[in-house]
């Protein structure tokens, strides 16, 4: 079974991600810290890691750097989503190593494809 990791503390998006993953028959692991993302990624070898770029619990840009600098983890697809009013955030996220950076609306619309790794 394919696995995805979600570093998301917004309950609306967490609920939506969980529902789509269940519908697709995927395992989704919600983590609670940056270190938990790294630990879960090493343990699960997920197809994708989804990170809310506005999270107050996580440090998305630093976390992306850590994931992409690690030989074991750099191939994992890293997807970030953001509020469309944040004009500088997408470029900063891409520079940090995110593979896909999407406004929240596009993220929601493409969530099934994202979770199965088909962008």
């Amino acid at each position: 079974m394919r696995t995805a990791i979600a570093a998301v503390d917004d309950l609306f998006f967490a609920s939506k991600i969980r529902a789509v993953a269940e519908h697709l028959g995927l395992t989704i692991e919600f983590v609670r810290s940056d270190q938990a993302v790294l630990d879960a990624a090493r343990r699960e070898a997920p197809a994708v890691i989804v990170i809310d770029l506005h999270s107050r619990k996580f440090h998305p840009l630093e976390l992306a750097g850590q994931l992409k600098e690690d030989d074991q983890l750099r191939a994992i697809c890293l997807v970030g989503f953001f509020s469309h009013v944040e004009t500088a955030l997408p470029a900063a996220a891409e520079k940090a190593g995110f593979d896909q950076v999407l406004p929240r609306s596009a993220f929601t619309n493409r969530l099934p494809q994202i979770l199965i790794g088909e962008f």
Side-chain angles (χ1 to χ4, degrees), residues 37-116:
V37 172
L38 298 170
D39 294 343
R42 287 187 183 96
R43 183 178 63 250
E44 302 296 333
V48 64
I49 298 174
V50 174
I51 300 178
D52 180 352
L53 295 175
H54 293 285
S55 174
R56 294 182 185 186
K57 186 188 298 186
F58 301 96
H59 303 92
L61 303 182
E62 294 85 356
L63 185 54
Q66 290 177 301
L67 289 162
K68 295 304 180 178
E69 290 171 2
D70 187 304
D71 290 338
Q72 181 184 353
L73 305 177
R74 79 169 39 108
I76 299 170
C77 187
L78 189 56
V79 177
F81 62 94
F82 67 97
S83 171
H84 70 280
V85 298
E86 293 288 333
T87 57
L89 191 54
E94 289 174 358
K95 184 176 180 182
F98 278 84
D99 298 296
Q100 289 280 319
V101 180
L102 302 166
R104 288 177 174 167
S105 59
F107 172 78
T108 300
N109 290 337
R110 296 177 53 198
L111 189 53
Q113 292 85 7
I114 290 167
L115 292 180
I116 61 173

